[in-house]
Amino acid sequence: MAARHHIIETDKLQKLRFYGDEFVFNTVSGLCYRLNPTAGFLLHSLVDGMENTELVDMIQKRYNIDRKAAMRDVELLLNDLCELGVLD
Amino acid sequence: MSKHPPSNILDNQVKTVAVTGLHRGENPQPGAAVVASLRRRFPELRIVGLSYDPLESSLYSVYGDHPDIAYLMPYPGAGPDALFKRLEEILEKEDIAFIIPCLDLEIPNFMAIASKLLKKGVHCTLPTKDSLESVSKSNLYKLSQELGISAPRTESAMDLFTLETIANEIGYPVYVKGIFYEAHIANTIEELIDASKEISRVWGWPLLVQEAIAGEEYDVVGLADGDGGIIKSCAVRKFQRSSIGKGFAGIVVEDPELDRIAQRIIKKLSWNGPFELEFLKAPGSTHTLLEINPRFPAWVDFPSQIGCNLPGRLIENLTGAKQTPLGTCTAGQMFVRHCVDLVGDVSELAEMSSNGERAITPYKTLLKATQ
């Protein structure tokens, strides 16, 4: 089963401008965010065109966790990014 | 009496420009920023400051944001006749061709005397009476409904009973606002009463009750052509606000939706000249229109510094001077307001207070020294 609740539209990701790995600026909302390493990694990966299922794979490998936990973490992180307006 | 020699820099046309709103304090007025922008485009332009107080801060500035001379003016409350009389006195000394009013409160006075000033060769940059009426705080909600734009519900009240009734209908918290200036949030009926007393003491009735909306503040400064078009604009998110809600830092945004809303508003009003649109927006929701200001804002020199000089273009258009291309402000460019201590002498205060005028020369001295 794949984490498919969030489908991030490409144009939403194109609004994001990164400064290093952990600082991102949304050019439409004008909001700036300091990201933790995991959020930064995930967001960079999304911008690079990675699918949600691939993200889960990468998180699972990178942090050596089981698939269910990786799916949950990706989903929660995407929730947070949406709520904070990063992906608004 | 011979007039002070005006500048001769606007493509060989002899012009002097007068500007109001010269105090850059806790609640910064736009005039000093307009002066700074004009000097960026026309370094030798003669600028006359129309000042309501001898302590207006830009009269003590050594930077490019001070006028060449300042004249003390009657307060806007004195009315249009007092304003015209004082301007007549000033026009005996100054060859003013254009006045850029920068304060909301004085604009009705300037509108009332605009035709008389024009007969004396002085042009004011003003919106039409109808468009100004449409953007008044009490009419803005109606305008936004006509345009299908989100806006906080706002009602006018002539007495405390009506104010309380409307606040109950809207639901707390609400903002209590003066017709021109000042706003207080009220979470309870007691706070509503306190706020109404405080604001009405200074600004009188009616007061406005406005639904409280949460969100980030977005502002658009622009120059409109009078035919429904925007010559150029710059949109920012205000991201640092003072204790009284004034934006002390802003960052340029590129939001097509915000641009579309601005265009619809300006088209509907056939707005002429400078404007500032103020919005609030929470993540995931639409922009809510808070205010339309019929003038340049205090942050107008920010776009000027990054290649979009709107006051400069206004004077270019009025004089027919060569137009400098207006650049597009790019997302991520930002400003932070910086307060400094200006040095003065009591003799300067005395001169302005006693004579009602004072020449201010540091910028021109600096300009000559560097030429």
Side-chain angles (χ1 to χ4, degrees), chain B residues 107-299:
Chain B
I107 286 180
N109 284 346
F110 276 103
M111 289 173 78
I113 63 168
S115 58
K116 285 202 284 184
L117 283 174
L118 204 54
K119 284 179 188 161
K120 290 187 169 291
V122 183
H123 185 104
C124 281
T125 55
L126 296 164
T128 62
K129 194 180 172 191
D130 285 349
S131 55
L132 187 69
E133 189 71 20
S134 298
V135 304
S136 67
K137 286 183 183 181
S138 46
N139 287 333
L140 200 62
Y141 184 58
K142 183 170 167 264
L143 175 73
S144 66
Q145 284 185 313
E146 286 169 12
L147 283 164
I149 294 170
S150 170
R153 184 180 163 191
T154 309
E155 304 276 346
S156 173
M158 284 303 296
D159 56 70
L160 190 56
F161 176 75
T162 313
L163 199 75
E164 287 176 25
T165 307
I166 297 167
N168 280 332
E169 279 174 20
I170 292 175
Y172 289 92
V174 294
Y175 278 99
V176 185
K177 291 185 161 186
I179 202 80
F180 285 110
Y181 295 109
E182 213 170 326
H184 292 237
I185 194 153
N187 293 290
T188 60
I189 191 165
E190 289 78 18
E191 288 179 7
L192 183 90
I193 293 166
D194 288 346
S196 67
K197 281 180 184 165
E198 199 168 331
I199 298 172
S200 64
R201 188 170 55 85
V202 181
W203 303 107
W205 292 83
L207 297 183
L208 303 173
V209 196
Q210 188 174 74
E211 177 187 4
I213 303 279
E216 297 289 332
E217 182 180 339
Y218 294 87
D219 295 346
V220 182
V221 58
L223 189 61
D225 62 13
D227 291 322
I230 295 176
I231 295 167
K232 200 73 180 177
S233 64
C234 170
V236 298
R237 176 175 78 87
K238 294 274 184 75
F239 68 95
Q240 194 177 58
R241 277 185 268 185
S242 70
S243 57
I244 58 167
K246 299 297 162 187
F248 267 56
I251 190 161
V252 175
V253 296
E254 291 172 9
D255 185 343
E257 183 54 30
L258 186 56
D259 291 342
R260 275 193 289 274
I261 293 172
Q263 281 159 7
R264 279 169 59 200
I265 294 169
I266 297 307
K267 187 175 180 185
K268 165 87 176 167
L269 296 167
S270 295
W271 193 263
N272 182 37
F275 65 85
E276 182 194 29
L277 311 176
E278 295 184 2
F279 298 91
L280 284 181
K281 183 183 180 299
S285 68
T286 57
H287 296 87
T288 298
L289 179 64
L290 272 191
E291 276 187 24
I292 300 179
N293 295 317
R295 50 162 174 77
F296 288 122
W299 55 278

